[in-house]
Amino acid sequence: MKRAAEYLRRNSYIYIMAFALFVIGICVGILGAAGIGNEELVGLTEYVGKFFGSTQKVAHFDVFKRCAAQNFKLIFLCGICAMFVYTMPFCFAAVGFKGFTTGFAAGFILKTFNYKGAIFIFSSFIPALVFLMPVMFLMCGVCVRFAFMCHKNKSKRKKEVFSFALSMLALWAAMSLIDLTDSFVSEFVVKGVF
């Protein structure tokens, strides 16, 4: 416990920055959703309505595969960028972009489905986000620390790259597990609300 507290204290600036970028991303995403024109809104509403109004059983494994593939791409890109201190800011950008997509999706659902959208967001969207956010911030922290370590001592890169890769794989597994659980929960929420 003391080691974890010490780690967070020493690296608080990374997590504060990641959190700030995530919140900014959410705000920009919500503003983006609010600024959607009527033509785009109709098209997106029809597309999303097919999912919310569908009576077909959701193929959870297919959803899981898509989410796992997207998560792997994100983890892989952040891992590659963490090899060099000059490309490391991409990891922060990834957190900000995740905030943007989250804010845009939440803003769009709320704008389109009103109180039903609010119920969906609070019963499915936010609970999954509560678990996903720490994983995203931890991923950013691991990447930034590794990038600075490699920059200060390039000889350590080969020694530490295996443990770094294992850490990134563990984070990928955690993200994918959260998305898998959310795919099951979302189906029941959608059927109950819509």
Side-chain angles (χ1 to χ4, degrees):
M1 233 10 219
K2 285 184 178 180
R3 288 181 67 184
E6 179 64 18
Y7 172 82
L8 287 173
R9 188 187 66 78
R10 289 178 61 187
N11 299 287
S12 58
Y13 69 96
I14 297 173
Y15 298 104
I16 290 169
M17 191 178 296
F19 178 76
L21 286 169
F22 189 79
V23 171
I24 290 168
I26 287 177
C27 294
V28 173
I30 290 171
L31 289 173
I36 295 175
N38 289 332
E39 291 182 10
E40 293 90 350
L41 185 63
V42 169
L44 283 170
T45 302
E46 287 177 1
Y47 178 77
V48 175
K50 289 176 184 177
F51 170 73
F52 285 140
S54 176
T55 56
Q56 295 180 350
K57 188 169 178 62
V58 175
H60 297 288
F61 189 66
D62 289 340
V63 173
F64 168 71
K65 284 195 295 185
R66 284 197 296 271
C67 289
Q70 291 298 323
N71 292 336
F72 185 79
K73 288 176 187 174
L74 176 67
I75 289 287
F76 182 77
L77 281 172
C78 286
I80 294 296
C81 290
M83 295 291 170
F84 308 97
V85 75
Y86 304 108
T87 52
M88 173 269 296
F90 174 83
C91 304
F92 285 111
V95 172
F97 183 73
K98 185 67 177 177
F100 172 79
T101 56
T102 300
F104 185 87
F108 170 73
I109 290 169
L110 194 60
K111 182 177 182 178
T112 305
F113 299 102
N114 299 317
Y115 75 93
K116 287 185 177 181
I119 294 170
F120 175 76
I121 288 168
F122 282 102
S123 57
S124 175
F125 211 74
I126 290 177
L129 197 60
V130 166
F131 290 101
L132 189 61
M133 278 171 54
V135 178
M136 286 290 296
F137 296 159
L138 188 58
M139 177 202 71
C140 192
V142 168
C143 289
V144 171
R145 294 243 327 145
F146 184 75
F148 280 124
M149 183 202 69
C150 292
H151 184 67
K152 288 178 182 177
N153 190 346
K154 289 181 171 61
S155 63
K156 275 191 172 183
R157 182 180 292 159
K158 289 183 180 179
K159 294 178 183 177
E160 300 292 334
V161 72
F162 182 71
S163 59
F164 172 69
L166 285 179
S167 299
M168 295 299 279
L169 281 173
L171 290 167
W172 168 69
M175 289 170 70
S176 299
L177 183 62
I178 292 165
D179 285 335
L180 176 64
T181 306
D182 188 43
S183 71
F184 281 94
V185 173
S186 294
E187 181 184 8
F188 293 111
V189 173
V190 166
K191 286 181 179 178
V193 175
F194 297 93

